């Protein structure tokens, strides 16, 4: 291998014309959401989809604002387009009407493709919404606090989440996020919102897709968006409150969860039970709790 090809694995095949094989073309037009939740998930991960549908995914009207949710999938495997899993996905789509599946291979190294295909979809099919949030399928989301925050934030050129500043580029080859100096000589990344959950105003998807044509997309999806934002000259914003987004799992406590927007969860935690407790009776919380 020579030249750029030696480092091909750090980039993804984008831009490229991918096609949706399961789509919801009319849904945004019909529902007119204020906020769209976009959840990337692996095709086989029915467990997370069911969990989300039974928890924060069922919130569809918050403070008078419509919230919609879609799951974003790629292909389970090369040549599996007509396999059993694909049949099940079509059935699931008929039942719930919330699946979007594009024809790229769904794997960790292709997450940047997933994100950009999501941006294309938002621009094409949901540009009347005010905000979109990309959120990972293993997160807890306080939808009410999210909507409430978004009633007061800028509606154009806006991106927020857990914004990293001067994040070091990983040079240790054993790191999940390893990046050779030949691919990226800079020691730090531009400011970017962590991929676990970020919000964009709906004017941004088109601009990000355009910016992406001028930047060779790295496989790390949130970093790639950081480069796109830098290209656009738009700075991702810190959230209005410091403790809204959490990258380390916040242990469940109803009062703590009533103050945050999104947190990672412990693997194998009972998210359905947490949601039932959280969304149960009203609870008055002390203002001086740890969050
Ligand atoms: C990413 O998706 C493209 C398009 O389906 C595919 O050609 C490529 O092999 C995938 N990448 C990996 C690492 O599997």
């Amino acid at each position: 291998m020579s030249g750029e090809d030696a480092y091909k694995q750090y980039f993804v095949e984008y831009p490229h014309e991918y096609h949706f094989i399961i789509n919801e073309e009319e849904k945004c037009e019909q529902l007119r959401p204020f906020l769209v939740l976009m959840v990337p998930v692996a095709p086989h991960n029915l467990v997370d989809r069911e969990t989300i549908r039974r928890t924060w995914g069922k919130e569809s009207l918050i403070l008078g604002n419509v919230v919609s949710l879609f799951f974003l999938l790629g292909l389970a495997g090369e040549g599996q387009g007509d396999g059993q899993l694909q049949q099940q996905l079509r059935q699931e789509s008929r039942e719930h009407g919330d699946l979007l599946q594009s024809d790229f291979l769904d794997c960790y190294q292709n997450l940047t493709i997933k994100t950009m295909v999501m941006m294309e979809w938002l621009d094409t099919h949901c540009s009347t919404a005010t905000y979109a949030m990309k959120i990972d399928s293993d997160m807890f989301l306080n939808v009410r606090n999210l909507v409430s925050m978004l009633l007061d934030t800028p509606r154009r050129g806006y991106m927020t989440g857990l914004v990293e500043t001067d994040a070091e580029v990983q040079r240790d080859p054993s790191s999940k996020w390893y990046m050779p100096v030949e691919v990226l000589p800079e020691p730090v990344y531009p400011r970017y919102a962590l991929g676990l959950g970020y919000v964009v105003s709906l004017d941004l998807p088109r601009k990000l897709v355009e910016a992406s044509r001028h930047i060779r997309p790295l496989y790390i999806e949130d970093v790639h968006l950081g480069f796109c934002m830098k290209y656009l000259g738009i700075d991702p914003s810190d959230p209005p409150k410091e403790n809204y987004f959490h990258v380390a799992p916040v242990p469940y406590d109803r009062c703590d969860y009533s103050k945050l927007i999104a947190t990672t969860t412990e693997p194998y935690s009972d998210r359905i039970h947490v949601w039932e407790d959280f969304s149960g009776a009203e609870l008055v919380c002390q203002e001086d709790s740890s969050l």
Side-chain angles (χ1 to χ4, degrees), residues 42-61:
H44 63 82
N45 195 349
L46 177 61
V47 172
D48 273 4
R49 291 195 292 277
E50 283 295 305
T51 302
I52 291 169
R53 287 183 186 120
R54 292 175 61 187
T55 58
W56 46 264
K58 64 182 176 186
E59 304 275 328
S60 55
L61 193 67

Side-chain angles (χ1 to χ4, degrees), residues 231-279:
Y231 179 88
L232 295 171
I234 307 173
D235 191 30
S237 302
D238 287 317
K241 279 190 192 156
E242 205 178 311
N243 281 313
Y244 272 160
F245 296 85
H246 295 263
V247 64
V250 175
Y252 178 63
D253 173 87
R254 209 202 258 178
C255 282
D256 288 346
Y257 272 40
S258 74
K259 291 177 184 129
L260 54 74
I261 286 180
T263 176
T264 53
T265 56
E266 296 284 0
Y268 310 112
S269 62
D270 189 343
R271 292 187 272 158
I272 304 234
H273 184 250
V274 161
W275 185 262
E276 278 165 6
D277 186 79
F278 175 75
S279 57

Side-chain angles (χ1 to χ4, degrees), residues 90-107:
R90 289 193 186 281
Q91 179 56 34
E92 186 183 338
S93 164
R94 277 191 291 274
E95 213 172 298
H96 297 282
D98 58 4
L99 298 189
L100 310 173
Q101 186 186 30
S102 178
D103 64 352
F104 62 86
L105 196 55
D106 198 312
C107 61

Side-chain angles (χ1 to χ4, degrees), residues 80-149:
Q80 285 189 14
D82 295 310
Q84 198 188 356
L85 177 57
Q86 197 55 36
Q87 300 295 324
Q88 284 162 3
L89 289 173
R90 289 193 186 281
Q91 179 56 34
E92 186 183 338
S93 164
R94 277 191 291 274
E95 213 172 298
H96 297 282
D98 58 4
L99 298 189
L100 310 173
Q101 186 186 30
S102 178
D103 64 352
F104 62 86
L105 196 55
D106 198 312
C107 61
Y108 177 74
Q109 299 96 310
N110 268 346
L111 280 185
T112 298
I113 297 179
K114 208 177 226 190
T115 293
M116 296 317 295
V117 161
M118 171 184 85
M119 294 297 175
E120 290 176 12
W121 187 89
L122 285 168
D123 181 43
T124 311
H125 297 294
C126 213
S127 62
T128 53
T130 307
Y131 293 103
M133 180 181 203
K134 178 250 168 174
I135 177 152
D136 282 345
S137 65
D138 55 355
M139 299 286 291
F140 169 89
L141 180 65
N142 183 329
V143 195
R144 175 177 266 268
N145 280 359
L146 173 62
V147 169
S148 172
M149 173 187 87

Side-chain angles (χ1 to χ4, degrees), residues 7 22 37 60 73 114 123 221 233:
Y7 300 105
I22 298 178
L37 302 174
S60 55
L73 297 68
K114 208 177 226 190
D123 181 43
E221 62 101 16

